[in-house]
Amino acid sequence: MTEQEQHKQYELDCRYLRMARIWAENSYCRRRQVGALIVKDKMIISDGYNGTPSGFENVCEDANGLTKPYVLHAEANAITKIARSGNNSDGATLYVTASPCIECAKLIIQAGIKRVVYGEAYRLADGLELLQRAGIETLLLEIPTDGVPSVLSQP
């Protein structure tokens, strides 16, 4: 990839990650709002945010403030939307506001996603380690509130 192509990809990564951050605002979860976009051939083919399954009340936390066990992660919502649409995510890039957990990493691998760009590290790194073991490119791209992004790691 030429320097110009790398710069263009970087700008696209920043835009899609900012869009995922905005999409996270749709979540009813109070503890943490996470958004995800799946992009293939420069087209958004799916989106998701963390929340309860369709038909459930939009309450993610129990009376003690703990996340209910049936709350879906943003990545899982985006991947299952693709499955229902008849589209596929082979070779796509996932943009997600927080790095994937181990369960979402398994879904990402099985969905054929080849690249994951995330905005902040999840408290556990096992999801990222599994993605890297599967040969999926991961990129931590922090976009501060001032809008000036920086690449923190590209294992």
Side-chain angles (χ1 to χ4, degrees):
M1 198 183 287
T2 69
E3 190 174 320
Q4 185 178 12
E5 290 170 331
Q6 287 177 340
H7 181 71
K8 187 171 185 169
Q9 184 61 56
Y10 174 75
E11 287 180 336
L12 286 171
D13 287 345
C14 292
R15 285 186 193 114
Y16 286 128
L17 194 56
R18 283 193 306 266
M19 291 170 71
R21 187 180 285 167
I22 291 167
W23 201 247
E25 295 172 12
N26 289 314
S27 173
Y28 287 90
C29 297
R30 287 179 281 148
R31 287 183 65 204
R32 172 178 234 173
Q33 294 180 315
V34 179
L37 297 176
I38 299 177
V39 176
K40 185 174 178 179
D41 301 324
K42 297 182 184 175
M43 294 186 332
I44 297 169
I45 60 170
S46 191
D47 57 68
Y49 51 87
N50 57 326
T52 56
S54 297
F56 282 63
E57 74 288 351
N58 286 320
V59 178
C60 298
E61 293 83 11
D62 63 20
N64 297 320
L66 299 174
T67 301
K68 293 179 180 179
Y70 53 84
V71 169
L72 291 162
H73 289 188
E75 306 94 302
N77 264 327
I79 291 168
T80 55
K81 274 187 182 180
I82 286 178
R84 290 182 71 179
S85 74
N87 205 342
N88 75 71
S89 53
D90 287 337
T93 298
L94 170 71
Y95 294 90
V96 62
T97 56
S99 62
C101 70
I102 189 87
E103 294 301 318
C104 288
K106 290 187 252 182
L107 292 173
I108 291 164
I109 293 165
Q110 291 302 99
I113 292 168
K114 295 299 179 201
R115 188 165 178 264
V116 176
V117 178
Y118 60 100
E120 66 180 58
Y122 182 64
R123 61 184 172 83
L124 302 174
D126 54 357
L128 286 174
E129 291 165 4
L130 185 63
L131 292 173
Q132 291 160 3
R133 183 174 167 196
I136 294 172
E137 178 187 347
T138 60
L139 174 66
L140 171 57
L141 182 63
E142 279 195 348
I143 302 176
T145 53
D146 66 6
V148 179
S150 61
V151 175
L152 294 183
S153 69
Q154 190 170 359

Short mmCIF file of all heavy atoms in Angstrom, two decimals, residues 17-69:
data_model
loop_
_atom_site.label_atom_id
_atom_site.label_comp_id
_atom_site.label_asym_id
_atom_site.label_seq_id
_atom_site.Cartn_x
_atom_site.Cartn_y
_atom_site.Cartn_z
N LEU A 17 -14.79 4.85 12.81
CA LEU A 17 -14.75 4.68 14.26
C LEU A 17 -15.54 5.78 14.95
O LEU A 17 -16.24 5.52 15.94
CB LEU A 17 -13.30 4.64 14.76
CG LEU A 17 -13.11 4.15 16.19
CD1 LEU A 17 -13.73 2.77 16.41
CD2 LEU A 17 -11.63 4.12 16.54
N ARG A 18 -15.47 7.00 14.43
CA ARG A 18 -16.30 8.08 15.00
C ARG A 18 -17.78 7.76 14.81
O ARG A 18 -18.61 8.01 15.69
CB ARG A 18 -15.96 9.43 14.35
CG ARG A 18 -14.67 10.04 14.88
CD ARG A 18 -14.50 11.49 14.49
NE ARG A 18 -14.60 11.77 13.07
CZ ARG A 18 -13.57 11.83 12.22
NH1 ARG A 18 -12.35 11.63 12.65
NH2 ARG A 18 -13.76 12.09 10.94
N MET A 19 -18.13 7.19 13.65
CA MET A 19 -19.53 6.80 13.41
C MET A 19 -19.96 5.71 14.38
O MET A 19 -21.09 5.73 14.88
CB MET A 19 -19.70 6.34 11.96
CG MET A 19 -19.56 7.47 10.96
SD MET A 19 -19.46 6.89 9.25
CE MET A 19 -21.14 6.35 9.00
N ALA A 20 -19.08 4.76 14.67
CA ALA A 20 -19.40 3.70 15.63
C ALA A 20 -19.63 4.31 17.02
O ALA A 20 -20.54 3.88 17.75
CB ALA A 20 -18.27 2.67 15.69
N ARG A 21 -18.85 5.32 17.35
CA ARG A 21 -19.02 6.00 18.65
C ARG A 21 -20.40 6.67 18.71
O ARG A 21 -21.08 6.61 19.73
CB ARG A 21 -17.91 7.02 18.85
CG ARG A 21 -17.93 7.65 20.23
CD ARG A 21 -16.84 8.66 20.41
NE ARG A 21 -15.56 7.98 20.59
CZ ARG A 21 -14.39 8.59 20.52
NH1 ARG A 21 -14.32 9.88 20.27
NH2 ARG A 21 -13.27 7.92 20.72
N ILE A 22 -20.80 7.30 17.62
CA ILE A 22 -22.13 7.93 17.58
C ILE A 22 -23.21 6.86 17.65
O ILE A 22 -24.21 7.01 18.35
CB ILE A 22 -22.27 8.81 16.31
CG1 ILE A 22 -21.37 10.03 16.43
CG2 ILE A 22 -23.72 9.22 16.09
CD1 ILE A 22 -21.18 10.80 15.14
N TRP A 23 -23.01 5.75 16.94
CA TRP A 23 -24.00 4.67 16.95
C TRP A 23 -24.17 4.10 18.35
O TRP A 23 -25.26 3.65 18.72
CB TRP A 23 -23.60 3.59 15.93
CG TRP A 23 -24.76 2.76 15.54
CD1 TRP A 23 -24.95 1.44 15.81
CD2 TRP A 23 -25.92 3.18 14.82
NE1 TRP A 23 -26.15 1.02 15.30
CE2 TRP A 23 -26.77 2.07 14.69
CE3 TRP A 23 -26.33 4.40 14.28
CZ2 TRP A 23 -28.00 2.14 14.05
CZ3 TRP A 23 -27.55 4.47 13.64
CH2 TRP A 23 -28.36 3.35 13.53
N ALA A 24 -23.11 4.10 19.16
CA ALA A 24 -23.18 3.60 20.54
C ALA A 24 -24.21 4.37 21.36
O ALA A 24 -24.76 3.83 22.33
CB ALA A 24 -21.80 3.70 21.20
N GLU A 25 -24.48 5.61 20.97
CA GLU A 25 -25.45 6.43 21.71
C GLU A 25 -26.86 5.85 21.65
O GLU A 25 -27.72 6.23 22.44
CB GLU A 25 -25.43 7.86 21.18
CG GLU A 25 -24.11 8.58 21.42
CD GLU A 25 -24.03 9.93 20.73
OE1 GLU A 25 -25.07 10.43 20.24
OE2 GLU A 25 -22.92 10.50 20.69
N ASN A 26 -27.11 4.91 20.73
CA ASN A 26 -28.41 4.25 20.66
C ASN A 26 -28.63 3.24 21.78
O ASN A 26 -29.75 2.82 22.02
CB ASN A 26 -28.57 3.53 19.31
CG ASN A 26 -28.75 4.49 18.18
OD1 ASN A 26 -29.52 5.44 18.26
ND2 ASN A 26 -28.02 4.26 17.10
N SER A 27 -27.57 2.85 22.45
CA SER A 27 -27.66 1.85 23.51
C SER A 27 -28.38 2.42 24.73
O SER A 27 -28.15 3.56 25.12
CB SER A 27 -26.26 1.39 23.91
OG SER A 27 -26.33 0.54 25.04
N TYR A 28 -29.22 1.58 25.33
CA TYR A 28 -29.89 1.96 26.57
C TYR A 28 -29.07 1.57 27.80
O TYR A 28 -29.49 1.83 28.92
CB TYR A 28 -31.27 1.29 26.65
CG TYR A 28 -32.28 1.91 25.71
CD1 TYR A 28 -32.43 1.43 24.41
CD2 TYR A 28 -33.07 2.97 26.12
CE1 TYR A 28 -33.36 1.99 23.55
CE2 TYR A 28 -33.99 3.53 25.26
CZ TYR A 28 -34.14 3.05 23.98
OH TYR A 28 -35.05 3.62 23.13
N CYS A 29 -27.94 0.94 27.60
CA CYS A 29 -27.11 0.52 28.72
C CYS A 29 -26.52 1.74 29.42
O CYS A 29 -26.06 2.67 28.77
CB CYS A 29 -26.00 -0.41 28.24
SG CYS A 29 -26.63 -1.95 27.54
N ARG A 30 -26.57 1.72 30.74
CA ARG A 30 -26.06 2.85 31.51
C ARG A 30 -24.59 2.70 31.87
O ARG A 30 -23.87 3.69 31.94
CB ARG A 30 -26.89 3.04 32.78
CG ARG A 30 -28.29 3.60 32.49
CD ARG A 30 -29.10 3.75 33.75
NE ARG A 30 -29.60 2.41 34.08
CZ ARG A 30 -29.81 1.94 35.30
NH1 ARG A 30 -29.58 2.70 36.33
NH2 ARG A 30 -30.26 0.74 35.50
N ARG A 31 -24.15 1.47 32.10
CA ARG A 31 -22.76 1.24 32.51
C ARG A 31 -21.77 1.56 31.40
O ARG A 31 -20.72 2.13 31.64
CB ARG A 31 -22.57 -0.22 32.94
CG ARG A 31 -23.22 -0.52 34.27
CD ARG A 31 -22.96 -1.94 34.70
NE ARG A 31 -21.53 -2.13 34.95
CZ ARG A 31 -20.92 -3.30 34.89
NH1 ARG A 31 -21.59 -4.38 34.57
NH2 ARG A 31 -19.64 -3.40 35.13
N ARG A 32 -22.12 1.13 30.19
CA ARG A 32 -21.20 1.33 29.08
C ARG A 32 -21.99 1.23 27.77
O ARG A 32 -22.77 0.32 27.59
CB ARG A 32 -20.12 0.26 29.12
CG ARG A 32 -19.23 0.24 27.92
CD ARG A 32 -18.17 -0.80 28.07
NE ARG A 32 -16.91 -0.11 27.86
CZ ARG A 32 -15.74 -0.64 28.03
NH1 ARG A 32 -15.63 -1.86 28.45
NH2 ARG A 32 -14.66 0.04 27.79
N GLN A 33 -21.76 2.17 26.89
CA GLN A 33 -22.39 2.16 25.58
C GLN A 33 -21.32 1.84 24.54
O GLN A 33 -20.32 2.54 24.45
CB GLN A 33 -23.05 3.50 25.28
CG GLN A 33 -24.21 3.82 26.20
CD GLN A 33 -24.83 5.16 25.88
OE1 GLN A 33 -24.13 6.14 25.67
NE2 GLN A 33 -26.15 5.19 25.85
N VAL A 34 -21.57 0.78 23.77
CA VAL A 34 -20.61 0.33 22.76
C VAL A 34 -21.32 0.29 21.41
O VAL A 34 -22.46 -0.17 21.31
CB VAL A 34 -20.04 -1.06 23.11
CG1 VAL A 34 -19.05 -1.53 22.04
CG2 VAL A 34 -19.38 -1.04 24.48
N GLY A 35 -20.63 0.76 20.37
CA GLY A 35 -21.18 0.73 19.01
C GLY A 35 -20.24 -0.01 18.08
O GLY A 35 -19.03 -0.06 18.31
N ALA A 36 -20.82 -0.60 17.02
CA ALA A 36 -20.03 -1.35 16.05
C ALA A 36 -20.58 -1.14 14.64
O ALA A 36 -21.80 -1.03 14.46
CB ALA A 36 -20.05 -2.84 16.40
N LEU A 37 -19.68 -1.08 13.68
CA LEU A 37 -20.04 -1.03 12.27
C LEU A 37 -19.21 -2.08 11.54
O LEU A 37 -18.03 -2.26 11.84
CB LEU A 37 -19.71 0.33 11.64
CG LEU A 37 -20.43 1.56 12.17
CD1 LEU A 37 -19.88 2.81 11.48
CD2 LEU A 37 -21.92 1.45 11.93
N ILE A 38 -19.84 -2.76 10.59
CA ILE A 38 -19.11 -3.68 9.73
C ILE A 38 -19.08 -3.06 8.35
O ILE A 38 -20.13 -2.71 7.80
CB ILE A 38 -19.74 -5.08 9.73
CG1 ILE A 38 -19.72 -5.67 11.15
CG2 ILE A 38 -18.97 -6.00 8.76
CD1 ILE A 38 -20.39 -7.02 11.28
N VAL A 39 -17.87 -2.91 7.80
CA VAL A 39 -17.67 -2.23 6.53
C VAL A 39 -16.99 -3.20 5.55
O VAL A 39 -16.00 -3.85 5.90
CB VAL A 39 -16.81 -0.96 6.71
CG1 VAL A 39 -16.51 -0.30 5.38
CG2 VAL A 39 -17.49 0.01 7.67
N LYS A 40 -17.55 -3.25 4.35
CA LYS A 40 -16.99 -4.09 3.30
C LYS A 40 -17.01 -3.29 2.00
O LYS A 40 -18.06 -2.72 1.66
CB LYS A 40 -17.82 -5.36 3.17
CG LYS A 40 -17.28 -6.37 2.19
CD LYS A 40 -18.11 -7.64 2.25
CE LYS A 40 -17.63 -8.67 1.26
NZ LYS A 40 -18.43 -9.91 1.35
N ASP A 41 -15.90 -3.23 1.32
CA ASP A 41 -15.80 -2.47 0.07
C ASP A 41 -16.28 -1.03 0.25
O ASP A 41 -17.03 -0.51 -0.58
CB ASP A 41 -16.58 -3.17 -1.05
CG ASP A 41 -16.10 -4.58 -1.31
OD1 ASP A 41 -14.87 -4.81 -1.20
OD2 ASP A 41 -16.93 -5.45 -1.60
N LYS A 42 -15.88 -0.42 1.36
CA LYS A 42 -16.21 0.98 1.69
C LYS A 42 -17.71 1.22 1.85
O LYS A 42 -18.17 2.35 1.72
CB LYS A 42 -15.61 1.95 0.66
CG LYS A 42 -14.11 1.92 0.62
CD LYS A 42 -13.56 2.92 -0.37
CE LYS A 42 -12.06 2.79 -0.45
NZ LYS A 42 -11.49 3.65 -1.48
N MET A 43 -18.46 0.17 2.16
CA MET A 43 -19.90 0.30 2.42
C MET A 43 -20.20 -0.29 3.80
O MET A 43 -19.70 -1.36 4.14
CB MET A 43 -20.73 -0.45 1.37
CG MET A 43 -20.61 0.14 -0.01
SD MET A 43 -21.71 -0.63 -1.25
CE MET A 43 -21.96 -2.26 -0.70
N ILE A 44 -21.00 0.42 4.57
CA ILE A 44 -21.45 -0.11 5.85
C ILE A 44 -22.49 -1.18 5.55
O ILE A 44 -23.53 -0.89 4.97
CB ILE A 44 -22.04 1.00 6.75
CG1 ILE A 44 -20.97 2.04 7.07
CG2 ILE A 44 -22.62 0.40 8.02
CD1 ILE A 44 -21.50 3.30 7.72
N ILE A 45 -22.18 -2.42 5.92
CA ILE A 45 -23.11 -3.52 5.65
C ILE A 45 -23.89 -3.95 6.88
O ILE A 45 -24.87 -4.68 6.77
CB ILE A 45 -22.41 -4.73 5.00
CG1 ILE A 45 -21.31 -5.28 5.92
CG2 ILE A 45 -21.85 -4.35 3.63
CD1 ILE A 45 -20.74 -6.61 5.45
N SER A 46 -23.45 -3.50 8.05
CA SER A 46 -24.20 -3.81 9.27
C SER A 46 -23.77 -2.87 10.38
O SER A 46 -22.71 -2.24 10.32
CB SER A 46 -23.97 -5.26 9.69
OG SER A 46 -24.88 -5.61 10.72
N ASP A 47 -24.60 -2.78 11.39
CA ASP A 47 -24.31 -1.95 12.56
C ASP A 47 -24.89 -2.63 13.79
O ASP A 47 -25.74 -3.51 13.68
CB ASP A 47 -24.93 -0.56 12.39
CG ASP A 47 -26.42 -0.63 12.17
OD1 ASP A 47 -27.16 -1.02 13.10
OD2 ASP A 47 -26.87 -0.30 11.05
N GLY A 48 -24.40 -2.24 14.93
CA GLY A 48 -24.93 -2.79 16.17
C GLY A 48 -24.49 -1.96 17.36
O GLY A 48 -23.54 -1.18 17.28
N TYR A 49 -25.21 -2.13 18.43
CA TYR A 49 -24.82 -1.52 19.71
C TYR A 49 -25.24 -2.49 20.80
O TYR A 49 -26.06 -3.39 20.58
CB TYR A 49 -25.45 -0.13 19.91
CG TYR A 49 -26.94 -0.07 19.67
CD1 TYR A 49 -27.85 -0.34 20.70
CD2 TYR A 49 -27.45 0.26 18.42
CE1 TYR A 49 -29.22 -0.29 20.49
CE2 TYR A 49 -28.82 0.33 18.20
CZ TYR A 49 -29.69 0.05 19.24
OH TYR A 49 -31.04 0.10 19.03
N ASN A 50 -24.66 -2.34 21.98
CA ASN A 50 -24.99 -3.28 23.04
C ASN A 50 -26.39 -3.00 23.57
O ASN A 50 -26.82 -1.86 23.66
CB ASN A 50 -23.93 -3.25 24.16
CG ASN A 50 -23.73 -1.88 24.79
OD1 ASN A 50 -23.82 -0.86 24.12
ND2 ASN A 50 -23.44 -1.87 26.07
N GLY A 51 -27.09 -4.09 23.86
CA GLY A 51 -28.45 -3.95 24.36
C GLY A 51 -29.13 -5.30 24.48
O GLY A 51 -28.54 -6.34 24.20
N THR A 52 -30.37 -5.27 24.86
CA THR A 52 -31.13 -6.50 25.06
C THR A 52 -31.63 -7.05 23.73
O THR A 52 -31.73 -6.32 22.75
CB THR A 52 -32.32 -6.24 26.00
OG1 THR A 52 -33.13 -5.19 25.45
CG2 THR A 52 -31.86 -5.83 27.40
N PRO A 53 -31.96 -8.34 23.68
CA PRO A 53 -32.48 -8.93 22.44
C PRO A 53 -33.80 -8.28 22.03
O PRO A 53 -34.53 -7.70 22.85
CB PRO A 53 -32.71 -10.40 22.82
CG PRO A 53 -31.82 -10.65 23.98
CD PRO A 53 -31.78 -9.35 24.73
N SER A 54 -34.12 -8.39 20.75
CA SER A 54 -35.38 -7.84 20.21
C SER A 54 -36.56 -8.37 21.02
O SER A 54 -36.62 -9.55 21.34
CB SER A 54 -35.55 -8.25 18.75
OG SER A 54 -34.52 -7.72 17.97
N GLY A 55 -37.46 -7.46 21.35
CA GLY A 55 -38.66 -7.85 22.09
C GLY A 55 -38.52 -7.77 23.60
O GLY A 55 -39.51 -7.89 24.32
N PHE A 56 -37.31 -7.59 24.10
CA PHE A 56 -37.09 -7.46 25.54
C PHE A 56 -37.16 -5.99 25.94
O PHE A 56 -37.03 -5.10 25.10
CB PHE A 56 -35.71 -8.00 25.93
CG PHE A 56 -35.62 -9.49 26.00
CD1 PHE A 56 -35.82 -10.28 24.89
CD2 PHE A 56 -35.34 -10.12 27.21
CE1 PHE A 56 -35.73 -11.65 24.95
CE2 PHE A 56 -35.25 -11.50 27.29
CZ PHE A 56 -35.45 -12.27 26.15
N GLU A 57 -37.37 -5.74 27.22
CA GLU A 57 -37.35 -4.36 27.71
C GLU A 57 -35.95 -3.79 27.50
O GLU A 57 -34.98 -4.52 27.52
CB GLU A 57 -37.74 -4.32 29.20
CG GLU A 57 -36.67 -4.81 30.17
CD GLU A 57 -36.43 -6.34 30.21
OE1 GLU A 57 -37.21 -7.08 29.59
OE2 GLU A 57 -35.45 -6.76 30.84
N ASN A 58 -35.86 -2.50 27.27
CA ASN A 58 -34.57 -1.85 27.02
C ASN A 58 -33.89 -1.45 28.32
O ASN A 58 -33.56 -0.29 28.53
CB ASN A 58 -34.78 -0.63 26.12
CG ASN A 58 -35.06 -1.00 24.69
OD1 ASN A 58 -34.46 -1.93 24.17
ND2 ASN A 58 -35.99 -0.31 24.07
N VAL A 59 -33.68 -2.44 29.17
CA VAL A 59 -32.99 -2.23 30.44
C VAL A 59 -31.85 -3.24 30.50
O VAL A 59 -32.09 -4.44 30.52
CB VAL A 59 -33.95 -2.42 31.64
CG1 VAL A 59 -33.21 -2.23 32.95
CG2 VAL A 59 -35.12 -1.46 31.54
N CYS A 60 -30.62 -2.74 30.51
CA CYS A 60 -29.45 -3.61 30.45
C CYS A 60 -28.92 -4.04 31.82
O CYS A 60 -28.25 -5.05 31.93
CB CYS A 60 -28.32 -2.91 29.69
SG CYS A 60 -28.74 -2.53 27.98
N GLU A 61 -29.21 -3.25 32.85
CA GLU A 61 -28.66 -3.53 34.17
C GLU A 61 -29.76 -3.98 35.12
O GLU A 61 -30.91 -3.55 35.01
CB GLU A 61 -27.97 -2.28 34.74
CG GLU A 61 -26.71 -1.86 33.99
CD GLU A 61 -26.97 -1.01 32.76
OE1 GLU A 61 -28.11 -0.55 32.56
OE2 GLU A 61 -26.03 -0.81 31.97
N ASP A 62 -29.37 -4.82 36.10
CA ASP A 62 -30.32 -5.25 37.12
C ASP A 62 -30.37 -4.21 38.25
O ASP A 62 -29.74 -3.15 38.16
CB ASP A 62 -29.97 -6.65 37.65
CG ASP A 62 -28.61 -6.71 38.35
OD1 ASP A 62 -28.08 -5.66 38.79
OD2 ASP A 62 -28.08 -7.83 38.48
N ALA A 63 -31.12 -4.51 39.30
CA ALA A 63 -31.30 -3.56 40.41
C ALA A 63 -29.98 -3.21 41.10
O ALA A 63 -29.85 -2.16 41.73
CB ALA A 63 -32.29 -4.13 41.42
N ASN A 64 -28.99 -4.10 40.99
CA ASN A 64 -27.68 -3.86 41.61
C ASN A 64 -26.70 -3.15 40.67
O ASN A 64 -25.55 -2.96 41.01
CB ASN A 64 -27.06 -5.18 42.07
CG ASN A 64 -27.90 -5.85 43.13
OD1 ASN A 64 -28.43 -5.19 44.02
ND2 ASN A 64 -28.04 -7.16 43.02
N GLY A 65 -27.17 -2.79 39.48
CA GLY A 65 -26.32 -2.09 38.53
C GLY A 65 -25.43 -3.00 37.70
O GLY A 65 -24.58 -2.54 36.96
N LEU A 66 -25.64 -4.32 37.82
CA LEU A 66 -24.85 -5.28 37.04
C LEU A 66 -25.53 -5.55 35.70
O LEU A 66 -26.76 -5.58 35.62
CB LEU A 66 -24.68 -6.59 37.82
CG LEU A 66 -23.96 -6.48 39.16
CD1 LEU A 66 -23.98 -7.80 39.90
CD2 LEU A 66 -22.52 -5.99 38.96
N THR A 67 -24.73 -5.78 34.68
CA THR A 67 -25.27 -6.06 33.36
C THR A 67 -25.99 -7.40 33.38
O THR A 67 -25.45 -8.40 33.86
CB THR A 67 -24.15 -6.08 32.30
OG1 THR A 67 -23.50 -4.81 32.31
CG2 THR A 67 -24.69 -6.36 30.91
N LYS A 68 -27.20 -7.41 32.84
CA LYS A 68 -27.98 -8.65 32.76
C LYS A 68 -27.27 -9.63 31.84
O LYS A 68 -26.67 -9.23 30.84
CB LYS A 68 -29.40 -8.35 32.27
CG LYS A 68 -30.20 -7.52 33.26
CD LYS A 68 -31.59 -7.22 32.74
CE LYS A 68 -32.38 -6.39 33.75
NZ LYS A 68 -33.71 -6.06 33.26
N PRO A 69 -27.35 -10.94 32.14
CA PRO A 69 -26.59 -11.93 31.37
C PRO A 69 -27.01 -12.07 29.92
O PRO A 69 -26.25 -12.58 29.10
CB PRO A 69 -26.81 -13.23 32.14
CG PRO A 69 -28.04 -13.02 32.94
CD PRO A 69 -28.11 -11.55 33.24
#
